[in-house]
Amino acid sequence: TLALHDALPIWAGTGNLTTRRREKLLSPSKPGLCAAFGALLLLALVSCSGTPAHRNNAAADSLLSQGRFEEAVDKYGEAIKFAPKLSTAYLGRAAAYIALGQYKLAVEDADKAISLEPWVAFGYNHKGLALSYLGEYRQSQVFLDRAIELDPNFPDSFNNRALLALRARQWERAILDLDEAIRLDPRFGLAYANRACAYTLADQSEL
């Protein structure tokens, strides 16, 4: 098995936290979730969009998208102070922690998001990704599989699971997951880069 941080030009994904996550929260994959609940959730998000928690969360999302990860962590923390059950703030902060290399903190925030909304795939994706950086590959696989089970249309989870396959030198399996990530999002540049890496490694292994 390849050791973590071997010289593989591979990249992970945490999703577009200002667009994809909002879409998934409005269309959760929880079994048996009724349409009426979805409508109530939409109403709640709209009615709460002007609260201090949501203003701080939106500001943090913007900072995260700009790569200002430490500032994003602080803003998500402010949002959580106002709304300790705001799962999107934990998800965003987990993504920022991953970018900062603070993987144990990312796992903690992902766990909190999962406890609040266990039907949303993002928490499992983020925890799986953080665990992979901690070298917990088997557990990482479990959580990425769960993310895909909950939301088979989330390309980041396929990309991240492919990274595990690359580390295990399972080139064909990695390529299959990356093919699916690209099918789901043809503009997913990271998946193209990772697939190119997988093709190269697969070719080299046949020499």
Side-chain angles (χ1 to χ4, degrees):
T1 302
L2 292 177
L4 185 64
H5 300 310
D6 273 357
L8 285 176
I10 53 180
W11 293 270
T14 52
N16 184 326
L17 294 170
T18 58
T19 304
R20 284 183 185 162
R21 190 179 66 224
R22 302 288 187 238
E23 293 171 353
K24 297 301 181 293
L25 285 174
L26 296 178
S27 304
S29 303
K30 185 178 181 181
L33 189 68
C34 64
F37 182 84
L40 288 173
L41 177 60
L42 175 60
L43 180 61
L45 286 175
V46 171
S47 64
C48 294
S49 61
T51 66
H54 286 79
R55 286 197 298 271
N56 277 286
N57 196 57
D61 282 344
S62 177
L63 291 167
L64 183 65
S65 69
Q66 297 171 48
R68 296 160 63 182
F69 303 119
E70 292 181 354
E71 294 172 80
V73 165
D74 291 340
K75 275 295 180 183
Y76 285 124
E78 290 298 315
I80 290 166
K81 286 180 184 177
F82 285 109
K85 294 186 178 181
L86 184 61
S87 66
T88 54
Y90 292 102
L91 289 171
R93 193 168 68 176
Y97 279 141
I98 289 170
L100 291 168
Q102 299 179 29
Y103 305 122
K104 291 183 179 179
L105 291 174
V107 168
E108 291 178 9
D109 273 359
D111 277 337
K112 184 64 176 179
I114 290 169
S115 72
L116 291 169
E117 293 183 325
W119 59 89
V120 176
F122 284 92
Y124 299 91
N125 176 74
H126 292 13
K127 183 171 182 178
L129 180 57
L131 287 171
S132 75
Y133 284 119
L134 290 169
E136 301 288 341
Y137 300 125
R138 290 185 180 179
Q139 280 296 99
S140 173
Q141 180 85 39
V142 169
F143 282 92
L144 291 172
D145 286 346
R146 181 58 175 157
I148 289 169
E149 179 184 345
L150 286 170
D151 187 355
N153 296 311
F154 184 30
D156 298 76
S157 294
F158 285 99
N159 178 76
N160 294 338
R161 192 170 69 176
L163 302 189
L164 292 179
L166 286 174
R167 290 187 173 96
R169 300 181 183 271
Q170 296 174 344
W171 318 128
E172 291 185 4
R173 199 182 86 189
I175 290 168
L176 286 174
D177 270 352
L178 292 165
D179 284 344
E180 184 62 12
I182 290 166
R183 185 190 70 80
L184 291 169
D185 184 0
R187 296 181 295 177
F188 194 177
L190 297 180
Y192 285 104
N194 289 333
R195 189 170 67 175
C197 174
Y199 283 141
T200 299
L201 292 169
D203 288 343
Q204 290 176 351
S205 70
E206 294 176 359
L207 295 178

